[in-house]
Amino acid sequence: MERNTRQRDAILSVISEAGRPLSTQEVLLAGQAVVPSLSIATVYRTLKDLAAEGWILPVKLPGEADRYEMTRLGDHYHFKCSSCSKVFDIHEKLKKTTLLAPRNFVIEKYDLILYGRCNECVPKHK
Amino acid sequence: MERNTRQRDAILSVISEAGRPLSTQEVLLAGQAVVPSLSIATVYRTLKDLAAEGWILPVKLPGEADRYEMTRLGDHYHFKCSSCSKVFDIHEKLKKTTLLAPRNFVIEKYDLILYGRCNECVPKHK
DNA sequence: ACGCTAATAATAACTTATTATCAATAAGCA
DNA sequence: TGCTTATTGATAATAAGTTATTATTAGCGT
């Protein structure tokens, strides 16, 4: 990146302010609220650049396209709402002692994904 | 399914005897050891049928095509070797008390994926 | 404000996994 | 064994996500 463009600024601030990982479509929609002409090609291109520069990281869930979130958020895991499909961060760490692998296997990292209903989607009564 | 074919028998026994989730390519290769003419189309078709009949289940990892394993294995999670790319079963359960979600979020299920080196790929010395 | 050229917008092209098509093959009953 | 037709094998078609192309737009140094 050699020039600061409105598109790039919009995309980074959209992700920074989301508070949860965003899909490319979510980035496109939120970004178009700032720069109406924003195109999906620019979203993909900019997400790739921002990731290469270390600002954002891809969040990978099984069977789904990458979402992105700020790198500075550090280690955590994710919760996906089975109703609204939004993904949320959970800033807890598992105690390593709770992770078990077969003898002689070396664990380098893990991904924990919870599925359920977020606060917006849990029926308030009943 | 209305006929028992050598292809179908081969595919099911290959998965049953693998002891770990197999990709479609792994099923094809192992199946061709039994029925040399086995084609990838038959592998996909049969895997879908076997899953619909409840014999096998898809194992989904982020960014990767489905693998399959026997349904009878029950609840467990997976370990993927970052060296040989094989996926292994881990038959342990996390204590539910170790799973935390934000207030008002309801956890329905979870997926834990470990990444690292399997016993075959860990350097024996050093 | 001007000019150079990086970045964008629109869309075509591509990728990888999976599914559909259809002539040839083979399961299993008479 | 022969017949009927479900299943297979080979490959074309499809699908969804992502990347490439290119004329146009706009950042930014002068």
Side-chain angles (χ1 to χ4, degrees):
Chain A
M1 153 274 203
E2 305 187 15
R3 290 179 186 177
N4 289 326
T5 65
R6 291 173 303 130
Q7 288 83 349
R8 178 187 163 100
D9 288 349
I11 290 170
L12 190 53
S13 72
V14 155
I15 294 172
S16 180
E17 289 163 22
R20 59 184 178 82
L22 298 183
S23 66
T24 53
Q25 287 304 317
E26 288 175 322
V27 171
L28 177 64
L29 287 174
Q32 287 178 332
V34 182
V35 182
S37 69
L38 183 64
S39 75
I40 188 65
T42 298
V43 171
Y44 276 109
R45 197 172 338 106
T46 305
L47 289 176
K48 197 204 278 190
D49 291 347
L50 290 173
E53 292 165 21
W55 292 103
I56 63 177
L57 284 176
V59 173
K60 297 167 182 293
L61 299 202
E64 306 186 36
D66 289 355
R67 289 173 174 78
Y68 289 86
E69 66 182 1
M70 300 301 291
T71 298
R72 60 177 159 72
L73 294 173
D75 251 3
H76 60 280
Y77 49 95
H78 296 102
F79 179 102
K80 178 175 178 182
C81 178
S82 51
S83 177
C84 68
S85 296
K86 287 179 186 168
V87 172
F88 300 87
D89 289 339
I90 299 179
H91 294 283
E92 299 287 340
K93 275 188 185 173
L94 287 184
K95 295 180 187 65
K96 285 184 183 171
T97 58
T98 67
L99 298 179
L100 296 174
R103 181 182 301 278
N104 294 329
F105 280 45
V106 176
I107 299 173
E108 293 169 347
K109 63 166 189 165
Y110 68 85
D111 262 346
L112 174 61
I113 307 160
L114 305 184
Y115 295 89
R117 300 276 179 145
C118 74
N119 59 338
E120 292 287 318
C121 294
V122 170
K124 296 298 190 297
H125 307 293
K126 150 165 181 308
Chain B
M1 152 273 207
E2 304 187 14
R3 291 180 185 176
N4 289 324
T5 65
R6 291 174 302 129
Q7 289 84 347
R8 179 185 162 100
D9 289 348
I11 289 170
L12 190 53
S13 73
V14 155
I15 294 171
S16 181
E17 289 163 21
R20 60 182 178 82
L22 298 183
S23 67
T24 53
Q25 287 305 315
E26 288 174 322
V27 171
L28 177 64
L29 287 174
Q32 287 178 333
V34 181
V35 183
S37 70
L38 184 63
S39 76
I40 189 65
T42 298
V43 171
Y44 275 109
R45 219 175 1 224
T46 305
L47 289 176
K48 197 205 277 189
D49 291 346
L50 290 172
E53 293 165 22
W55 292 103
I56 62 177
L57 284 175
V59 173
K60 295 169 182 294
L61 298 201
E64 305 187 36
D66 288 355
R67 289 174 174 78
Y68 289 86
E69 65 183 359
M70 298 303 290
T71 298
R72 62 177 159 71
L73 294 173
D75 249 5
H76 60 280
Y77 50 96
H78 296 102
F79 178 103
K80 177 174 178 184
C81 179
S82 51
S83 176
C84 68
S85 296
K86 286 179 187 168
V87 173
F88 301 87
D89 288 340
I90 299 179
H91 294 283
E92 299 288 340
K93 276 187 185 174
L94 287 183
K95 296 180 185 65
K96 285 183 183 173
T97 58
T98 67
L99 298 178
L100 296 175
R103 180 183 301 276
N104 294 329
F105 280 45
V106 176
I107 298 173
E108 293 169 347
K109 63 169 188 165
Y110 68 85
D111 213 357
L112 175 61
I113 307 164
L114 305 182
Y115 296 89
R117 300 277 179 142
C118 73
N119 59 337
E120 292 287 318
C121 293
V122 169
K124 297 297 190 297
H125 306 296
K126 148 165 181 308

